[in-house]
């Protein structure tokens, strides 16, 4: 039920904390491996394997299996915002649900919602759509005055936003092929590689410029923006040999 998903998301949001530490420890089951070549058997196997989510928890890198939820939420004083994503077949909505009389919800926008979040005392949401034929997405600012909701587009993407994080008072957004830094409604690509299009990024954990981690299928990716290096860490506890090969 959608209500149970929303309650679970609220519990997770309330339980998260983050901070920074000097030494970044990567879980021992994730071992540095060569980034597979495009169209290689190894890449097909990874593409059909377990997805891993990265996050900063209690100052450390936490990696766990990623389970996609079709609902994102943001708690407000008198209610909450909820966004839904219909996946590759389209659809989704951004709605406001008041704590009192929740049946009197307001539909703000019809969109495939990815994330809703607060940043510098403002509310933002990210929408994005991705299938075999189309890739696009946008970053919006949402304004609330009483019971009225308005929004404005800040950044438009020609590819699909898949994950975000707040980093040094800026917004980092990874799409299906590029990592962007968003400053004052302007996007700047700071990393681009076509392997991202095959790995299906789902999360970002940014400790510093030398330690930016992205959760992907089969493992995690580490970006070092200072030394301009990319490393892939595969979960060696997973058996990829028996995974059926699927075309993308």
């Amino acid at each position: 039920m959608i209500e149970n998903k929303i309650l679970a998301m609220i519990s997770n949001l309330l339980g998260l904390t983050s901070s920074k530490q000097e030494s970044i420890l990567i879980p021992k089951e994730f071992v540095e491996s060569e980034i597979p070549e495009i169209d290689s058997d190894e890449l097909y196997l990874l593409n059909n394997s377990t997805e891993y989510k990265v996050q900063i928890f209690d100052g450390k890198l936490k990696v766990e299996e990623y389970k996609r939820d079709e609902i994102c939420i943001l708690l407000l004083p008198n209610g909450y915002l909820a966004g839904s994503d219909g996946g590759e077949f389209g659809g989704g909505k951004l709605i406001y649900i008041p704590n009192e009389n929740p049946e009197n919800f307001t539909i703000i926008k019809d969109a495939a919602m990815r994330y809703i979040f607060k940043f510098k005392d403002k509310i933002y949401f990210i929408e994005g759509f991705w299938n075999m034929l189309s890739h696009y997405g946008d970053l919006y600012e949402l304004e609330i005055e009483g019971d009225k909701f308005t929004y404005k587009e800040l950044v438009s993407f020609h590819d699909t936003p898949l994950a975000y994080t707040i980093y040094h008072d800026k917004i980092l957004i990874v799409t299906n092929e590029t990592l962007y830094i968003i400053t004052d409604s302007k996007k700047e690509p700071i990393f681009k590689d076509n392997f991202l299009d095959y790995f299906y990024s789902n999360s970002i954990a940014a400790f510093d410029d030398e330690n930016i981690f992205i959760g992907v299928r089969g493992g995690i990716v580490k970006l070092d923006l200072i030394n301009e290096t990319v490393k892939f860490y595969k979960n060696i506890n997973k058996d990829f040999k028996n995974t059926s090969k699927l075309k993308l």
Side-chain angles (χ1 to χ4, degrees), residues 202-218:
N202 61 63
S203 53
I204 314 173
F207 290 86
D208 52 53
D209 288 350
E210 296 178 277
N211 294 278
I212 297 178
F213 295 88
I214 300 176
V216 297
R217 292 186 179 181

Side-chain angles (χ1 to χ4, degrees), residues 19-27 56 59-61 205-208 210-213 222:
S19 59
K20 177 184 176 183
Q21 68 174 34
E22 295 181 0
S23 178
I24 312 302
L25 298 178
I26 296 174
I56 301 174
K60 300 177 182 179
L61 176 65
F207 290 86
D208 52 53
E210 296 178 277
N211 294 278
I212 297 178
F213 295 88
K222 177 186 175 184

Side-chain angles (χ1 to χ4, degrees), residues 99-115:
N99 291 332
E100 295 184 5
N101 302 319
E103 65 278 4
N104 294 329
F105 60 86
T106 300
I107 298 177
I108 301 171
K109 191 176 192 300
D110 290 316
M113 294 296 303
R114 293 280 178 170
Y115 298 98

